[in-house]
Amino acid sequence: MYVASDSFQRNKITSAFQGAAYHGLTIARTWAFSDGGYSPLQYSPCFYNEKMFQGLDFVISEARKYGIKLILSLVNNYEAFGGKKQYVNWARNQGQNIFSDDDFFTNSVVQGFYKNHIKAINSITGLVYKDDPTIMAWELMNEPRGTSDASGRTIQRLLPSGLDIRNGFLLKVDKTINNHLLEAGLEGFYGQSNARTDFITNNQIPDVDFATVHSYPDQWLTSQSDESQTLKSHIEDAQNIIQKPLLFAEFGKSSKDPGFSTYKRNEFLNTVYSEIYSSARNGGVAAGGLFWQLLVEGMNNFRDGYEIVFSESTSTVSVITEQSQKLNKIRKMYTRL
């Protein structure tokens, strides 16, 4: 959205989607938020930057052109691009008694700001987003965490009541909810983790349509040598307990890590893809995987070590393309059925 808001850089967005489609990719996940700070989408509650909205419109139109479905994330857990911290600061500036960033999940004024953002994203520009089939799903928050509550219950409150999903708020805003799915944006941690979320209970909310996992073993599983075992446990729990599809919505290895090599990155990507394929081939719940993150030349400001630029690593591109083609064959088989 940020790059596309500059008409002179829009060719980069076109190039990204064109390359993704060429290599068999069918889903992209991107931000539909930028709250406060420099060049925001949302200057302050309910006040929007039309130029940034035009950038988001362009992203959606290019995705449509190249047959890519989108997952749009509605707010960040972290301070980058504003996030929940910006929301609670807006409420604090209006006189609300805010104790921590976790008040995002419970404070009625903060939740009002967030609900208004959902309405704005659905209705401000171009083809109304709630009517756009290019959008596959809404993500409630990127990697929600409730750090003040080790039980995970704070996040649990976010899902059924804090956003009034069960009371129909999001359903009323997006009347094509049967076409637009809903996911929570969870990383996949289990109860009593430092993230204060629980993969099973948080995804069992009826209005959450599919579960998600973000997998960064070099950051989070440094003491665990069998990376595939963690993937298997999430697939098994999504299959047997949650009973919903599972999307690996982020995964990767950073070139900034000590001992990084392209071989190790490719090996990890192949491990994730292989587990997904094994499940999908047997009619299981694994629905796909989105590596973090796809960039093109000239997007250096967004490089974080995890970026994949198709022109820079032919071996990594080969892994991605091969696995995408295998998964697409399964998808087409089920489509015919």
Side-chain angles (χ1 to χ4, degrees):
M1 175 179 63
Y2 179 83
V3 174
S5 68
D6 181 353
S7 59
F8 294 103
Q9 296 194 67
R10 287 183 174 180
N11 63 301
K12 297 173 184 175
I13 304 304
T14 301
S15 177
F17 281 123
Q18 192 174 39
Y22 177 80
H23 293 292
L25 306 182
T26 59
I27 302 174
R29 174 174 164 267
T30 191
W31 306 150
F33 61 78
S34 180
D35 307 304
Y38 177 75
S39 269
L41 171 63
Q42 186 176 195
Y43 287 114
S44 59
C46 302
F47 290 91
Y48 287 87
N49 181 347
E50 180 63 23
K51 185 178 179 181
M52 291 294 281
F53 252 119
Q54 291 171 0
L56 184 57
D57 277 353
F58 185 80
V59 169
I60 295 173
S61 69
E62 290 300 277
R64 185 186 308 118
K65 182 187 300 182
Y66 290 100
I68 306 290
K69 296 291 186 180
L70 294 176
I71 298 173
L72 296 184
S73 186
L74 294 167
V75 70
N76 204 3
N77 176 68
Y78 310 108
E79 291 185 39
F81 304 102
K84 67 182 184 184
K85 187 177 186 67
Q86 179 63 78
Y87 274 85
V88 299
N89 282 341
W90 281 334
R92 187 180 285 117
N93 292 339
Q94 291 191 10
Q96 290 293 300
N97 193 15
I98 300 290
F99 296 99
S100 77
D101 292 352
D102 280 358
D103 285 354
F104 175 93
F105 302 120
T106 56
N107 182 274
S108 61
V109 172
V110 177
Q111 286 295 292
F113 293 160
Y114 181 54
K115 292 174 185 178
N116 287 333
H117 177 59
I118 294 174
K119 291 179 181 178
I121 286 293
N122 270 280
S123 63
I124 284 187
T125 63
L127 175 63
V128 177
Y129 291 178
K130 70 181 180 64
D131 297 329
D132 195 332
T134 304
I135 301 170
M136 186 190 85
W138 302 108
E139 179 177 277
L140 294 177
M141 175 180 278
N142 173 52
E143 300 186 350
R145 296 184 179 189
T147 55
S148 61
D149 179 5
S151 71
R153 294 190 184 95
T154 296
I155 297 296
Q156 195 75 359
R157 288 199 299 270
L158 162 71
L159 297 168
S161 59
L163 298 182
D164 287 340
I165 293 174
R166 281 186 176 168
N167 295 328
F169 172 73
L170 194 55
L171 304 186
K172 291 176 182 176
V173 174
D174 186 343
K175 294 180 181 177
T176 60
I177 195 68
N178 289 330
N179 295 323
H180 292 165
L181 303 173
L182 184 70
E183 52 103 342
L186 294 165
E187 298 157 275
F189 294 113
Y190 287 88
Q192 301 298 320
S193 68
N194 290 333
R196 272 53 171 177
T197 61
D198 186 75
F199 174 69
I200 293 176
T201 57
N202 296 156
N203 279 308
Q204 286 179 317
I205 300 299
D207 292 305
V208 171
D209 294 298
F210 60 94
T212 59
V213 169
H214 296 184
S215 183
Y216 296 103
D218 50 355
Q219 290 187 37
W220 299 337
L221 302 173
T222 54
S223 63
Q224 192 172 117
S225 59
D226 186 3
E227 296 167 357
S228 66
Q229 181 62 41
T230 299
L231 305 178
K232 288 177 181 176
S233 68
H234 283 89
I235 292 173
E236 290 171 358
D237 288 341
Q239 179 93 36
N240 300 322
I241 302 175
I242 302 172
Q243 298 182 348
K244 295 178 183 179
L246 174 63
L247 179 70
F248 286 85
E250 286 188 27
F251 60 93
K253 274 188 175 292
S254 174
S255 60
K256 297 180 180 181
D257 289 344
F260 171 85
S261 69
T262 301
Y263 174 81
K264 289 182 179 179
R265 178 176 67 184
N266 294 349
E267 186 177 46
F268 175 61
L269 293 181
N270 195 59
T271 295
V272 177
Y273 280 131
S274 295
E275 293 296 338
I276 294 169
Y277 178 73
S278 177
S279 172
R281 180 187 58 194
N282 295 307
V285 296
L290 313 180
F291 62 84
W292 179 267
Q293 61 169 326
L294 174 63
L295 299 182
V296 297
E297 297 87 346
M299 296 178 70
N300 294 336
N301 289 342
F302 294 92
R303 288 180 179 261
D304 58 0
Y306 291 95
E307 73 277 352
I308 292 175
V309 179
F310 287 145
S311 62
E312 294 180 354
S313 181
T314 55
S315 62
T316 301
V317 171
S318 295
V319 171
I320 293 169
T321 303
E322 178 184 356
Q323 295 291 350
S324 296
Q325 290 173 346
K326 290 168 63 177
L327 287 168
N328 277 328
K329 287 181 180 178
I330 294 176
R331 178 176 60 85
K332 290 175 181 177
M333 178 183 71
Y334 281 109
T335 301
R336 287 196 298 271
L337 293 176

